[in-house]
Amino acid sequence: MRMLKRQSHAWDTETIDIDLKTETLLGKGKIICAFVFCGQDLDFGLFIDNFGQNKGLINIFQDYLEDYNQKKIWHNYGFDRHILYNHNINVQGFGGVTMHMARLLAQYPLEYSLSVITKNLQVQIQQNKKEYLIQNMKNLQAKIEETQNILEINQNDEAFKDLEFYKICLKKLEKNQKYFTEQNHKDDIKKLFGQKKKLKN
Protein backbone atom coordinates (compact mmCIF):
# COMPACT_ATOMS: atom_id res chain seq x y z
CA MET A 1 0.00 0.00 0.00
CA ARG A 2 2.89 2.34 0.69
CA MET A 3 4.07 1.70 -2.88
CA LEU A 4 0.82 3.36 -4.03
CA LYS A 5 1.40 6.48 -1.96
CA ARG A 6 0.95 8.85 -4.88
CA GLN A 7 -2.83 8.36 -4.76
CA SER A 8 -5.54 8.50 -2.12
CA HIS A 9 -6.90 5.26 -0.67
CA ALA A 10 -10.60 4.70 0.05
CA TRP A 11 -11.50 3.20 3.44
CA ASP A 12 -14.71 1.92 4.99
CA THR A 13 -15.38 0.12 8.27
CA GLU A 14 -18.09 -2.10 9.73
CA THR A 15 -18.63 -2.00 13.49
CA ILE A 16 -20.31 -3.76 16.43
CA ASP A 17 -20.98 -3.05 20.12
CA ILE A 18 -22.61 0.34 19.63
CA ASP A 19 -26.18 1.56 19.29
CA LEU A 20 -25.97 4.83 17.37
CA LYS A 21 -29.52 5.75 18.35
CA THR A 22 -28.78 5.80 22.06
CA GLU A 23 -24.98 5.88 22.48
CA THR A 24 -22.16 8.24 21.58
CA LEU A 25 -19.05 7.10 19.74
CA LEU A 26 -16.72 8.03 22.57
CA GLY A 27 -15.24 4.78 23.85
CA LYS A 28 -17.99 2.71 22.24
CA GLY A 29 -17.87 0.43 19.23
CA LYS A 30 -15.34 -1.95 17.72
CA ILE A 31 -14.27 -2.60 14.15
CA ILE A 32 -15.38 -5.98 12.87
CA CYS A 33 -13.88 -5.50 9.42
CA ALA A 34 -12.55 -2.85 7.08
CA PHE A 35 -12.28 -2.40 3.33
CA VAL A 36 -9.57 -0.59 1.38
CA PHE A 37 -9.44 0.35 -2.29
CA CYS A 38 -6.14 1.81 -3.47
CA GLY A 39 -7.21 2.97 -6.93
CA GLN A 40 -7.72 1.81 -10.49
CA ASP A 41 -4.13 0.62 -10.81
CA LEU A 42 -5.30 -2.50 -8.98
CA ASP A 43 -8.20 -4.77 -9.86
CA PHE A 44 -8.87 -5.77 -6.27
CA GLY A 45 -9.64 -4.30 -2.88
CA LEU A 46 -8.32 -5.29 0.53
CA PHE A 47 -10.63 -6.88 3.10
CA ILE A 48 -9.41 -6.77 6.71
CA ASP A 49 -11.13 -9.23 9.05
CA ASN A 50 -10.87 -7.89 12.61
CA PHE A 51 -13.35 -10.27 14.27
CA GLY A 52 -12.97 -13.34 16.48
CA GLN A 53 -9.57 -14.98 16.15
CA ASN A 54 -8.46 -12.08 13.92
CA LYS A 55 -9.15 -9.48 16.61
CA GLY A 56 -6.42 -6.83 16.56
CA LEU A 57 -5.52 -7.32 12.90
CA ILE A 58 -6.48 -3.71 12.17
CA ASN A 59 -3.60 -2.54 14.37
CA ILE A 60 -1.11 -3.89 11.84
CA PHE A 61 -2.11 -0.86 9.77
CA GLN A 62 -1.57 1.65 12.59
CA ASP A 63 1.59 3.26 11.18
CA TYR A 64 -0.04 3.53 7.78
CA LEU A 65 -3.29 4.97 9.16
CA GLU A 66 -1.37 7.50 11.27
CA ASP A 67 0.78 8.57 8.31
CA TYR A 68 -0.12 12.19 7.54
CA ASN A 69 1.39 11.98 4.05
CA GLN A 70 -0.81 9.06 2.96
CA LYS A 71 -4.18 10.53 2.05
CA LYS A 72 -7.25 8.46 2.89
CA ILE A 73 -10.84 8.96 1.82
CA TRP A 74 -13.73 7.96 4.09
CA HIS A 75 -17.50 7.90 3.80
CA ASN A 76 -18.07 9.23 7.32
CA TYR A 77 -14.70 10.47 8.56
CA GLY A 78 -15.88 11.53 12.02
CA PHE A 79 -17.41 8.12 12.72
CA ASP A 80 -14.50 6.06 11.39
CA ARG A 81 -11.90 8.20 13.15
CA HIS A 82 -13.67 7.74 16.50
CA ILE A 83 -14.01 4.00 16.00
CA LEU A 84 -10.36 3.59 15.02
CA TYR A 85 -9.36 5.67 18.04
CA ASN A 86 -11.06 3.01 20.17
CA HIS A 87 -8.36 0.69 18.77
CA ASN A 88 -5.65 3.20 19.80
CA ILE A 89 -5.23 4.38 16.20
CA ASN A 90 -5.07 8.15 15.71
CA VAL A 91 -5.98 8.51 12.04
CA GLN A 92 -4.10 11.16 10.05
CA GLY A 93 -3.87 11.98 6.36
CA PHE A 94 -7.38 13.24 5.66
CA GLY A 95 -8.16 12.98 1.95
CA GLY A 96 -11.91 13.49 1.73
CA VAL A 97 -15.40 12.38 2.78
CA THR A 98 -17.68 10.78 0.20
CA MET A 99 -20.82 11.57 2.20
CA HIS A 100 -20.18 15.31 1.87
CA MET A 101 -19.04 14.88 -1.73
CA ALA A 102 -22.39 13.22 -2.44
CA ARG A 103 -24.26 16.20 -0.98
CA LEU A 104 -22.42 18.45 -3.42
CA LEU A 105 -23.02 16.10 -6.33
CA ALA A 106 -26.74 15.53 -5.90
CA GLN A 107 -29.56 15.75 -3.39
CA TYR A 108 -31.11 12.49 -2.27
CA PRO A 109 -34.49 12.55 -0.55
CA LEU A 110 -33.86 10.12 2.32
CA GLU A 111 -30.27 9.71 3.43
CA TYR A 112 -26.62 9.79 2.44
CA SER A 113 -25.61 6.29 3.50
CA LEU A 114 -23.10 4.53 1.28
CA SER A 115 -25.72 2.01 0.15
CA VAL A 116 -28.21 4.72 -0.86
CA ILE A 117 -25.58 6.75 -2.71
CA THR A 118 -24.39 3.62 -4.51
CA LYS A 119 -27.95 2.74 -5.49
CA ASN A 120 -28.65 6.23 -6.84
CA LEU A 121 -25.40 6.30 -8.80
CA GLN A 122 -25.54 2.64 -9.82
CA VAL A 123 -25.87 3.27 -13.55
CA GLN A 124 -22.96 5.71 -13.56
CA ILE A 125 -20.83 3.39 -11.41
CA GLN A 126 -21.47 0.41 -13.69
CA GLN A 127 -20.66 2.49 -16.75
CA ASN A 128 -17.41 3.72 -15.20
CA LYS A 129 -16.44 0.14 -14.33
CA LYS A 130 -17.10 -1.04 -17.87
CA GLU A 131 -15.14 1.83 -19.38
CA TYR A 132 -12.24 1.17 -17.01
CA LEU A 133 -12.19 -2.55 -17.82
CA ILE A 134 -12.31 -1.93 -21.57
CA GLN A 135 -9.48 0.60 -21.36
CA ASN A 136 -7.44 -1.68 -19.12
CA MET A 137 -7.84 -4.58 -21.55
CA LYS A 138 -6.81 -2.34 -24.46
CA ASN A 139 -3.70 -1.29 -22.54
CA LEU A 140 -2.82 -4.92 -21.86
CA GLN A 141 -3.35 -5.82 -25.52
CA ALA A 142 -0.97 -3.01 -26.50
CA LYS A 143 1.64 -4.22 -23.99
CA ILE A 144 1.32 -7.78 -25.30
CA GLU A 145 1.86 -6.63 -28.90
CA GLU A 146 4.79 -4.42 -27.88
CA THR A 147 6.44 -7.25 -25.95
CA GLN A 148 5.89 -9.70 -28.81
CA ASN A 149 7.65 -7.27 -31.15
CA ILE A 150 10.57 -7.04 -28.72
CA LEU A 151 10.82 -10.83 -28.59
CA GLU A 152 10.91 -11.04 -32.40
CA ILE A 153 14.01 -8.84 -32.37
CA ASN A 154 15.68 -10.04 -29.21
CA GLN A 155 14.78 -13.20 -27.32
CA ASN A 156 15.27 -12.59 -23.60
CA ASP A 157 13.85 -14.10 -20.44
CA GLU A 158 12.67 -10.80 -18.96
CA ALA A 159 10.51 -9.92 -21.97
CA PHE A 160 9.13 -13.45 -22.07
CA LYS A 161 8.13 -13.23 -18.39
CA ASP A 162 6.47 -9.87 -19.04
CA LEU A 163 4.53 -11.35 -21.94
CA GLU A 164 3.26 -14.25 -19.86
CA PHE A 165 2.29 -11.88 -17.05
CA TYR A 166 0.34 -9.58 -19.40
CA LYS A 167 -1.48 -12.57 -20.90
CA ILE A 168 -2.48 -13.84 -17.46
CA CYS A 169 -3.77 -10.38 -16.47
CA LEU A 170 -5.75 -10.04 -19.69
CA LYS A 171 -7.25 -13.49 -19.32
CA LYS A 172 -8.25 -12.70 -15.75
CA LEU A 173 -9.98 -9.46 -16.76
CA GLU A 174 -11.81 -11.13 -19.63
CA LYS A 175 -12.93 -14.01 -17.41
CA ASN A 176 -14.12 -11.78 -14.59
CA GLN A 177 -15.50 -8.87 -16.60
CA LYS A 178 -19.10 -9.75 -15.80
CA TYR A 179 -18.27 -10.18 -12.11
CA PHE A 180 -16.47 -6.84 -11.82
CA THR A 181 -19.25 -4.93 -13.58
CA GLU A 182 -22.35 -6.58 -12.12
CA GLN A 183 -21.53 -8.16 -8.76
CA ASN A 184 -22.75 -6.37 -5.66
CA HIS A 185 -19.88 -6.80 -3.20
CA LYS A 186 -21.96 -5.45 -0.33
CA ASP A 187 -24.23 -8.48 -0.69
CA ASP A 188 -21.16 -10.73 -0.35
CA ILE A 189 -20.41 -9.24 3.06
CA LYS A 190 -24.02 -9.59 4.19
CA LYS A 191 -24.00 -13.25 3.19
CA LEU A 192 -20.66 -13.76 4.94
CA PHE A 193 -21.81 -12.46 8.32
CA GLY A 194 -25.57 -13.00 8.00
CA GLN A 195 -28.09 -10.23 7.47
CA LYS A 196 -29.88 -10.62 10.81
CA LYS A 197 -27.23 -12.42 12.81
CA LYS A 198 -26.20 -10.62 16.00
CA LEU A 199 -22.44 -10.69 16.28
CA LYS A 200 -20.81 -10.98 19.66
CA ASN A 201 -17.16 -10.56 20.53
Side-chain angles (χ1 to χ4, degrees):
M1 291 168 67
R2 291 188 182 278
M3 293 175 66
L4 299 168
K5 207 167 187 175
R6 68 185 183 280
Q7 58 207 34
S8 298
H9 300 166
W11 275 77
D12 189 32
T13 63
E14 297 292 338
T15 61
I16 56 172
D17 294 344
I18 184 171
D19 184 353
L20 293 175
K21 294 180 180 179
T22 60
E23 298 177 310
T24 67
L25 292 170
L26 191 60
K28 301 281 182 66
K30 298 185 184 74
I31 292 176
I32 187 174
C33 62
F35 311 86
V36 193
F37 179 65
C38 296
Q40 293 186 346
D41 291 349
L42 303 175
D43 64 355
F44 64 89
L46 177 64
F47 172 74
I48 303 167
D49 183 359
N50 197 60
F51 183 66
Q53 64 181 7
N54 295 318
K55 181 181 178 181
L57 189 62
I58 191 69
N59 293 91
I60 292 176
F61 299 87
Q62 183 167 359
D63 289 344
Y64 159 87
L65 287 165
E66 294 181 348
D67 184 354
Y68 178 83
N69 295 314
Q70 176 57 68
K71 301 305 179 185
K72 306 158 197 83
I73 298 174
W74 309 84
H75 180 64
N76 186 341
Y77 176 67
F79 176 86
D80 289 321
R81 194 174 192 280
H82 268 92
I83 292 296
L84 282 159
Y85 198 78
N86 291 342
H87 294 268
N88 298 314
I89 298 174
N90 185 19
V91 174
Q92 302 293 323
F94 174 75
V97 181
T98 55
M99 182 166 60
H100 298 312
M101 292 178 189
R103 288 190 173 117
L104 295 173
L105 180 64
Q107 293 183 353
Y108 302 117
L110 297 176
E111 57 177 308
Y112 290 89
S113 68
L114 199 55
S115 58
V116 170
I117 293 171
T118 302
K119 184 177 180 180
N120 279 276
L121 297 176
Q122 189 170 11
V123 174
Q124 182 179 336
I125 290 170
Q126 297 294 348
Q127 184 61 34
N128 289 344
K129 284 181 179 179
K130 289 177 182 178
E131 290 176 0
Y132 164 70
L133 283 169
I134 291 170
Q135 185 59 51
N136 211 18
M137 286 190 284
K138 286 181 179 179
N139 292 341
L140 283 170
Q141 286 281 16
K143 288 180 179 179
I144 288 172
E145 292 176 8
E146 181 183 348
T147 309
Q148 286 174 333
N149 292 335
I150 292 173
L151 285 170
E152 288 179 4
I153 300 171
N154 180 22
Q155 294 282 336
N156 66 81
D157 292 339
E158 198 64 34
F160 181 77
K161 290 178 182 178
D162 288 343
L163 180 61
E164 291 302 306
F165 174 72
Y166 295 146
K167 285 182 177 180
I168 290 171
C169 291
L170 182 61
K171 187 175 181 180
K172 180 182 177 183
L173 283 180
E174 290 173 342
K175 181 179 179 181
N176 295 305
Q177 185 174 10
K178 183 176 181 180
Y179 175 81
F180 283 128
T181 55
E182 297 180 6
Q183 183 71 13
N184 186 335
H185 298 286
K186 196 75 174 179
D187 286 344
D188 289 347
I189 303 304
K190 288 179 180 178
K191 290 175 183 177
L192 178 64
F193 290 110
Q195 287 182 311
K196 298 182 179 179
K197 184 178 179 181
K198 186 175 181 180
L199 298 170
K200 295 182 179 179
N201 197 359

